[in-house]
Amino acid sequence: MDRLGETVRSILTLSASYKPGTIIRAEQVVDAYLGEHEGYRARRAAMDALLRELALPERRARNRGGLFELIELHLKRRHFEIARLFQ
């Protein structure tokens, strides 16, 4: 399985067992995935791919506790940070 698939699978697993602290673990999973991409364009493409995967209807049905929305907010913060770093 590719890295994007592994990341999505991990997020879905976290979502299925949603409990306090899950968002922190999910953010760590996302950050590890993004950390494997170098440069602004590669990270931005990785973010877009992850958001597209999480937006699929079959994935959305497994969203518990608003986890995906919190991940989207985290990705927006990360995008802002990397945009500043790579300017």
Side-chain angles (χ1 to χ4, degrees):
M1 182 178 285
D2 67 341
R3 188 64 176 124
L4 175 60
E6 290 175 20
T7 301
V8 170
R9 186 170 44 101
S10 294
I11 290 170
L12 292 175
T13 300
L14 288 167
S15 182
S17 64
Y18 195 85
K19 55 188 169 196
T22 298
I23 186 58
I24 294 167
R25 181 66 188 121
E27 287 176 354
Q28 292 169 343
V29 168
V30 168
D31 289 343
Y33 167 67
L34 294 178
E36 294 180 1
H37 299 84
E38 297 214 14
Y40 174 78
R41 288 183 182 171
R43 286 187 184 167
R44 182 65 196 164
M47 287 180 184
D48 289 342
L50 181 57
L51 287 171
R52 275 194 308 274
E53 282 293 316
L54 294 178
L56 293 173
E58 60 269 21
R59 308 266 196 249
R60 278 287 189 210
R62 297 176 63 187
N63 183 18
R64 292 188 56 205
L67 183 64
F68 293 2
E69 289 79 7
L70 294 173
I71 290 171
E72 290 171 6
L73 288 172
H74 179 68
L75 286 170
K76 286 178 184 176
R77 284 191 305 269
R78 295 288 288 150
H79 177 258
F80 179 73
E81 292 168 6
I82 65 170
R84 269 196 0 244
L85 287 174
F86 288 103
Q87 283 184 349

